Amino acid sequence: MDIEYFKNQISEELEGADQYIRFAIEIKPMNVQWSKMFYDMSLAELEHASNLFKMFEEYILTLSKAYQDMPEYLEETRRKVIKHYTECTAKIKYIQSMYK
């Protein structure tokens, strides 16, 4: 497990949350039960992403204590993950609010 693991897993969970909420909206007129299941799966995926992001932040904090100056690739990856997580989470939550 390393910084790339967290980067990839967070991205995967966010992608799943986004896809599930879009399916929920798409299928809602045809099958409300399935739609609700997709909505719930979107919520779960977003929670997984949130948990992984918290772990990522702890991991980065631990790494920063090991280095006097954080290597640039670690700092760059940290910035990218934070930006991606923040933007995608906001978008997904907005779409989830449209579902209701």
Side-chain angles (χ1 to χ4, degrees), residues 7-95:
K7 176 184 169 192
N8 294 335
Q9 288 302 119
I10 290 166
S11 184
E12 187 177 305
E13 297 293 339
L14 291 170
E15 185 178 310
D18 183 59
Q19 187 174 43
Y20 285 141
I21 193 58
R22 291 175 188 275
F23 289 160
I25 291 169
E26 178 183 331
I27 202 162
K28 194 173 185 179
M30 295 173 274
N31 191 319
V32 175
Q33 185 180 6
W34 284 14
S35 177
K36 176 72 168 98
M37 283 191 267
F38 277 123
Y39 174 76
D40 291 342
M41 291 188 311
S42 176
L43 292 176
E45 293 286 286
L46 194 55
E47 184 178 352
H48 298 162
S50 176
N51 291 338
L52 285 161
F53 186 74
K54 288 173 190 169
M55 294 166 67
F56 168 77
E57 288 182 311
E58 288 181 37
Y59 185 78
I60 289 294
L61 183 60
T62 301
L63 279 179
S64 70
K65 291 176 183 177
Y67 293 101
Q68 189 167 5
D69 292 316
M70 183 82 88
E72 182 56 35
Y73 79 94
L74 291 175
E75 185 59 36
E76 183 179 336
T77 302
R78 183 190 71 80
R79 284 192 303 267
K80 286 179 180 179
V81 169
I82 291 170
K83 183 177 190 281
H84 181 66
Y85 175 79
T86 304
E87 290 174 355
C88 288
T89 298
K91 178 183 78 171
I92 292 164
K93 285 183 177 182
Y94 177 73
I95 297 170

